[in-house]
Amino acid sequence: MSRTTSVVYQFGIVMLIACVGGCGRKNEDFVPTPEVALEALTQVLDAWKAGLPAGEIAGTKPLIFGTDTSRKAEQRLVNYEILGESPGDAGRTYVVKVKLTNPSEELKLQYIVVGIDPLWVFRQEDYQLLMHWDHYMPETP
């Protein structure tokens, strides 16, 4: 099991516990402020640009986890531009234009930021898989 898949499973368990024992908390209680969400997204994208794998962003307070099972192993983030917040079903959703190399691509991606402490930054595809209790199945070599 990859580190990213493990992180996604851990988040699923945390969410299940939160749903079962929510103590009266509402979804809105787990939506970060726009400033905090934007900073978390920036931290995750900067880590990717620095060549770090998805997962825990060391040294952040509150703790930040980034999940992105769609990354290609050798592909690197060259540059990104956060285009802004967009409507979404959960947390805060941002549209990000990314420029990648190896192979070269320019994409518009959506990221969802949820949580308070820790904060979770999901690529939209990962969030959708998690909400449907599904997961990424890498091809076996």
Side-chain angles (χ1 to χ4, degrees):
M1 179 182 309
S2 76
R3 181 173 182 233
T4 301
T5 303
S6 174
V7 168
V8 171
Y9 283 132
Q10 291 170 7
F11 177 75
I13 291 168
V14 168
M15 290 302 290
L16 179 62
I17 292 168
C19 290
V20 172
C23 301
R25 295 192 82 171
K26 304 176 294 289
N27 284 341
E28 296 81 35
D29 295 336
F30 299 97
V31 177
T33 65
E35 298 79 19
V36 169
L38 197 55
E39 177 60 26
L41 176 58
T42 301
Q43 292 275 348
V44 167
L45 293 169
D46 284 345
W48 183 12
K49 192 173 177 181
L52 299 173
E56 181 179 337
I57 307 298
T60 57
K61 187 128 179 102
L63 189 58
I64 299 170
F65 288 93
T67 67
D68 189 346
T69 58
S70 299
R71 286 186 194 175
K72 296 174 185 163
E74 299 300 317
Q75 198 167 40
R76 298 290 176 242
L77 177 63
V78 175
N79 204 358
Y80 67 88
E81 178 184 358
I82 300 172
L83 300 177
E85 193 169 356
S86 67
D89 295 336
R92 299 216 175 266
T93 302
Y94 292 91
V95 177
V96 180
K97 184 173 144 183
V98 297
K99 183 175 181 182
L100 307 168
T101 186
N102 198 25
S104 182
E105 282 184 289
E106 283 193 27
L107 304 170
K108 281 188 183 173
L109 305 174
Q110 285 193 313
Y111 286 89
I112 298 170
V113 184
V114 295
I116 302 299
D117 191 1
L119 288 157
W120 293 84
V121 179
F122 289 93
R123 189 157 162 179
Q124 182 184 22
E125 294 86 347
D126 291 336
Y127 187 82
Q128 293 302 321
L129 287 173
L130 180 65
M131 291 300 103
H132 294 99
W133 291 96
D134 209 344
H135 61 91
Y136 171 71
M137 295 292 291
E139 292 181 24
T140 54

